[in-house]
Amino acid sequence: MRLVTLRMGDGSTTAASIVGSAAVRLPFSDVGELLAQPEWRSIAADGGPPVEADPDDVAPVIPRPGKIACVGHNYAAHVAEQQVEEPRFPTWFAKFSAALCGANDPLVLPLSQSRSIDWEVELAVVIGRHCHRIPRGQSDEVVAGYCVANDVSVRDFQFRTSQFLQGKTFAGLTPLGPALVTPDELPGGSPADLRIVCGIDEEVVQDARTSDMIFDVDRLVHELSWILPLEPGDVLLTGTPSGVGAWRRPPRFLQPGQQLVSTIEGLGSLRNTCVAEPALSGPDLSGPGRLGPGRLGPD
Ligand code: ZN
């Protein structure tokens, strides 16, 4: 199954299932609400009426995850490019749901605050049921499916202090989607060896396989679930391969006008065009994103 959260044009969203090239409506406002139903698989399989909406106008597939848990330093070649030791344990950090945006949304670069905004294509794991202290080898029972993310990072804020958070959770800089893809849709039913690619316009800047992960999906779900219970709709970002901008010589960062294309075999692509933020005249007290309601994800 391929499940999406579609924008309906009136400010609302709906969960939908992609059947062929069409979307059919499911009776929940987003995929996160769908996953909160223990019988979500049969609800999604039953389907519903066709959706009158642009199938590419997707919100973050899980708009308001209870947790977004991320891992740094998880691909051997990425660890090597930073000249740090291979870790013994996953390097966990978090981001907030206001950091999310849709798979085809503009990336509004906060250029008044930073000129070092960098790309990180990542495999995202979505949890499908409540679980706590999952033994190794049993993550298949609790994972709903997978999608693509780009952990777009504001590097100077990331390295202001020893904690990554402030550089990792800027508003609307983390596209998540386009669809939640259940494991049965993947080659071999597993995300263990998928090609993962990041492009800027026509240029490939990251090109690896998920088999290069130091800690695989099963290990990550196991480790996090021993720290705290996981819930339906929780999202894990599993780290990025080598090829990010900050460790290139000279360093390179995202610029307005560039299209960031993040692709994982079997899961689809995110296509986010970088735009400069509007000139700032003072605090933004206007509510949802400056490009209009819903364009920057939830707030
Ligand atoms: Zn990352």
Side-chain angles (χ1 to χ4, degrees):
M1 284 187 286
R2 291 177 180 264
L3 305 172
V4 294
T5 297
L6 285 179
R7 295 188 177 116
M8 298 300 288
D10 61 357
S12 70
T13 60
T14 185
S17 173
I18 302 296
V19 180
S21 58
V24 299
R25 190 166 191 159
L26 302 174
F28 295 94
S29 62
D30 60 61
V31 175
E33 288 200 5
L34 172 69
L35 294 180
Q37 315 303 313
E39 67 282 21
W40 66 266
R41 285 185 178 81
S42 61
I43 295 171
D46 286 348
V51 187
E52 299 293 325
D54 175 357
D56 291 328
D57 194 6
V58 286
V61 62
I62 310 290
R64 286 171 293 277
K67 307 177 193 73
I68 307 171
C70 311
V71 180
H73 306 159
N74 199 28
Y75 281 77
H78 181 52
V79 169
E81 76 181 341
Q82 297 175 69
Q83 299 180 317
V84 294
E85 297 230 329
E86 221 171 88
R88 292 174 58 211
F89 304 102
T91 303
W92 291 108
F93 62 94
K95 59 174 76 201
F96 299 107
S97 61
L100 298 178
C101 69
N104 302 304
D105 286 354
L107 279 183
V108 183
L109 304 181
L111 297 176
S112 64
Q113 291 169 274
S114 176
R115 297 278 167 171
S116 56
I117 303 167
D118 201 351
W119 54 86
E120 294 196 357
V121 64
E122 307 205 5
L123 173 72
V125 181
V126 181
I127 300 298
R129 53 171 271 203
H130 169 88
C131 57
H132 195 192
R133 297 181 174 172
I134 296 298
R136 284 298 304 272
Q138 295 187 19
S139 63
D140 287 357
E141 295 179 24
V142 304
V143 171
Y146 304 92
C147 59
V148 187
N150 201 306
D151 178 23
V152 172
S153 301
V154 181
R155 296 296 187 200
D156 39 3
F157 280 70
Q158 178 181 345
F159 296 118
R160 276 176 161 181
T161 65
S162 63
Q163 303 288 318
F164 294 170
L165 175 74
Q166 60 189 303
K168 294 290 195 173
T169 200
F170 265 71
L173 285 187
T174 303
L176 182 73
L180 187 157
V181 178
T182 51
D184 54 290
E185 301 259 342
L186 295 176
S190 162
D193 187 25
L194 303 176
R195 190 176 177 201
I196 177 168
V197 179
C198 184
I200 296 176
D201 299 323
E202 302 302 315
E203 180 187 1
V204 172
V205 290
Q206 295 181 278
D207 189 352
R209 301 195 71 85
T210 56
S211 51
D212 293 337
M213 284 185 191
I214 297 167
F215 305 105
D216 65 10
V217 168
D218 185 73
R219 171 86 184 265
L220 294 175
V221 170
H222 163 76
E223 294 240 353
L224 189 63
S225 79
W226 278 76
I227 296 170
L228 80 177
L230 306 182
E231 306 294 345
D234 284 351
V235 173
L236 280 65
L237 301 192
T238 58
T240 200
S242 63
V244 301
W247 284 278
R248 289 169 182 261
R249 293 294 173 265
R252 288 176 52 185
F253 299 107
L254 293 170
Q255 305 296 330
Q258 292 177 331
Q259 188 182 48
L260 182 64
V261 183
S262 314
T263 303
I264 299 179
E265 179 184 1
L267 299 180
S269 295
L270 314 169
R271 298 178 189 279
N272 302 95
T273 298
C274 299
V275 300
E277 64 184 350
L280 295 180
S281 56
D284 174 13
L285 304 177
S286 63
R290 297 184 194 91
L291 297 184
R295 297 303 302 183
L296 293 180
D299 64 350

